[in-house]
Amino acid sequence: MDFCQNRAEWQRNPQKLFSSGRFNRRSDKKKQMHILTSWLPIPADSDFSLYNLPYGVFHTGDGRARAGIAIGDHIVDLAAAAGSGLFGKRRFFKKIFEQNTLNDFIALGKPLTGRVRKKVQDWLTRSSAPANAESLLVNRLTAQMLLPVHIGNYTDFYSSIEHATNVGKMFRPDNPLLPNWRWIPVGYHGRASSIVASGTPVRRPWGQILPPGQETPVFAPSRQLDFELEMAFVIGKNSVLGEPVPTEKADEYIFGLVLFNDWSARDIQRWEYVPLGPFLGKNFASSVSPWIVPLEALRPFRVKSPKQNPAPLPYLQTRGAQNYDIALEVALSTGEKTKQTIVSRSNTKYLYWSMAQQLAHHTINGCNVCVGDLMASGTISGPEAGTYGSMLELSRGGKEPLTLNDGSSRSFLENGDRVIMRARAEKNGVRVGFGEVDGVILPEQVR
Ligand code: CA
C-alpha cells in the first residue's frame, strides 16, 4: 500500500465525516487544566494516564490485529469502540481500526484523530462505568503489541551535541565537532525494513571489521554491539514533493513520538563509514516502543531548546519552546533472572536540534515526507557521565567497562543481554510515559 497517496474522499475532505456534529469542539487544552478522573482504576505510577492515551496495534493471540489506546493496565479496543458506535460512522471507523497499522487512522488528520482521542477520554471520564466497558477493554498483559505503523521511510539524525562531541573526541580529540555540525541538523537515510517491534530479539550481525593495527579486514561477528538511546517522531501528514515544511508548520506534520533503540555495530561502522556514512553497522535492526504518544499529550512538557550558537540560517529558526522535557533511561540485564542495572539517565531536552528543525531541514530541498515515515533524533546524551546514550560513550570506546549490579562488566553488549529503554514526562502530578522498548541479543548465525 502506498501511504503517500491520498486516494479516498475521506482523506481529501475529512471534515465531511463529522458534519453530523457528533463531535463537540471543546479544546483539549482547556480540559487538560482540570484534574481528570476515571471509573477505571488507573495505577498512579502508570505511564498511560488519562492525559496520555497513546495509540498502538495489538492482538490477543487470535491474530486479529486492531488498534487500541493504552490506559493504565488496559487497552481500549478501538475496533470494538468503533463497532459500539462511540465515534459514529460505525463501518468506516471499524475498517480504520481493524488493521495491522495505524497509517489510515493517522492519515485522517489531526482534527479527526484529536476528536477520536477526545471521545475516548470522555468515555473514560464518565461519572460511572459505561455498560459496554467490559467489551471495549482488554487487559494489557494479555495483548501482544505489534509495530504500530507501516514505516515507508526512516531517517536518522545526529542532533545531540553531547553525543556528537563524545563520539568526535574518540576520532579527533582537539576538534570533536565537524565544521558543519552547528549549521546543519546532520542526518542520513536509514533502513525501514529492519525496524522491529519492541520485544523482537536482535541477532548479532556479521560484517567486515578491521582489527586494530592491521591493514586488511576480517569477516566476523561484531564484537562491539551497542544500543543507541533515541526518540523518534512519526509523520502524520503527507507533504508535497518540491515544497518544504517550514519550522512553524512542523507540529501539523508530526503525529507523535516513540522510543527508539537504534542498534549499532561499532566495529563494522568504523571500517565502512567513509565516505558515504553509516550502512551495515546500522541497518540490521532498530526497535521501537509499541505506543505512539500523540504530540498533543506532550504539549505541557515543552521546554526551551539549548541556545544555538551560531544562530541557525533563517529556514532553521524557530520561535517558542521547541524541546520536550522527557526523562529517559536505559536498563541493561545480562539474563532473564539477573537484576537490571540502569546504565544511563538522559533527557530529550538536551537535544541541540529540535524536531521542527530536523523536519524543516529534511524538506528544505523539496524532499517530501509521508504518513508513517519515522525520523529519529540520533543518540540522546546528556552533559555528564551516566547520561550518555550508548555503550560506546559510557565505556569510552571500551576502555572503561561498566560494572553491572550482578557483578559482571560490559564494554559492549554480550549475547543474552537485554536492553530496556524507558521514557516519561511528569509535571504537576500529570504523567505521560512511553512504556518500554526492549530487545535481547541473540548469538550470531552459524556460518
Ligand atoms: Ca542512530
Side-chain angles (χ1 to χ4, degrees), residues 156 228 230 262 282:
D156 193 18
E228 289 191 332
E230 304 195 21
D262 195 20
K282 299 294 219 170

Side-chain angles (χ1 to χ4, degrees), residues 227 229 328-332 341-347 380-382 384 386-390 394 402 422:
F227 57 78
L229 171 63
L328 308 169
E329 70 177 36
V330 184
L332 177 58
T341 306
I342 306 294
V343 293
S344 177
R345 285 194 172 88
S346 188
N347 194 302
I380 306 173
S381 293
E384 63 259 336
T387 64
Y388 301 156
S390 65
L394 290 164
L402 303 185
R422 305 184 182 98

Side-chain angles (χ1 to χ4, degrees), residues 74-106:
H74 292 85
I75 296 171
V76 178
D77 181 334
L78 289 175
S84 78
L86 189 65
F87 313 119
K89 308 274 180 190
R90 280 172 209 247
R91 281 176 60 188
F92 172 81
F93 277 108
K94 258 174 76 73
K95 207 172 151 206
I96 290 281
F97 291 130
E98 284 177 347
Q99 297 191 41
N100 60 4
T101 75
L102 289 166
N103 295 62
D104 281 356
F105 171 65
I106 293 170

